[in-house]
Amino acid sequence: QVQLVESGGGSVQAGGSLRLSCAASGQFSRFWTMGWFRQAPGKEREFVAAIKWNTGSTRYADSVKDRFTISRDNARFTMYLQMSTLAPGDTAVYYCAVDRDLFRFDSRSYTYDQWGQGTQVTVSS
């Protein structure tokens, strides 16, 4: 199994930036997909961004494409989400997740079977 720990959340004014981190420990494969999802109160969890670990290929939700950047550090087994030009609509709990399938690269939340505890991001106007 793999353990995922998110960090970097906090409160920021609209237009500000935050960088989230997700540190993985335990069992880990370079062929897995790691992704970020977010969930606001009363809303379904939605896809934010994902990265295929071995290739570095990335995928983004349209709502964050020009503002967020996902990256990874192979040596640290850590994934990052650099968020800029934040808006109140970005307020949510952000979750790190892993899809352990060796081949697929998906944005559907149900394909991810390992999840972190989440970190709160609050953007005020």
Side-chain angles (χ1 to χ4, degrees):
Q1 63 176 358
V2 61
Q3 293 78 45
L4 305 173
V5 180
E6 302 98 331
S7 62
S11 298
V12 64
Q13 292 185 344
S17 300
L18 286 173
R19 189 184 76 160
L20 306 183
S21 299
C22 174
S25 61
Q27 185 185 60
F28 190 82
S29 172
R30 59 183 280 106
F31 298 102
W32 290 353
T33 302
M34 293 189 71
W36 289 99
F37 294 79
R38 65 187 184 186
Q39 187 169 28
K43 297 184 178 180
E44 291 189 353
R45 188 168 298 182
E46 65 175 345
F47 171 77
V48 176
I51 185 167
K52 191 67 177 179
W53 202 265
N54 61 324
T55 65
S57 297
T58 59
R59 184 174 180 178
Y60 297 90
D62 290 340
S63 60
V64 306
K65 180 68 176 180
D66 298 322
R67 300 182 296 122
F68 293 6
T69 301
I70 190 171
S71 62
R72 76 207 193 296
D73 185 328
N74 278 328
R76 295 171 178 256
F77 297 105
T78 300
M79 177 180 66
Y80 304 96
L81 184 68
Q82 180 66 49
M83 306 183 294
S84 62
T85 320
L86 285 163
D90 297 313
T91 295
V93 177
Y94 283 70
Y95 295 92
C96 171
V98 167
D99 178 3
R100 293 185 294 173
D101 189 272
L102 300 180
F103 305 106
R104 70 186 174 201
F105 184 36
D106 209 330
S107 61
R108 278 78 169 181
S109 62
Y110 65 82
T111 67
Y112 291 74
D113 50 16
Q114 297 279 303
W115 296 82
Q117 297 296 316
T119 184
Q120 177 71 48
V121 172
T122 302
V123 184
S124 60
S125 60

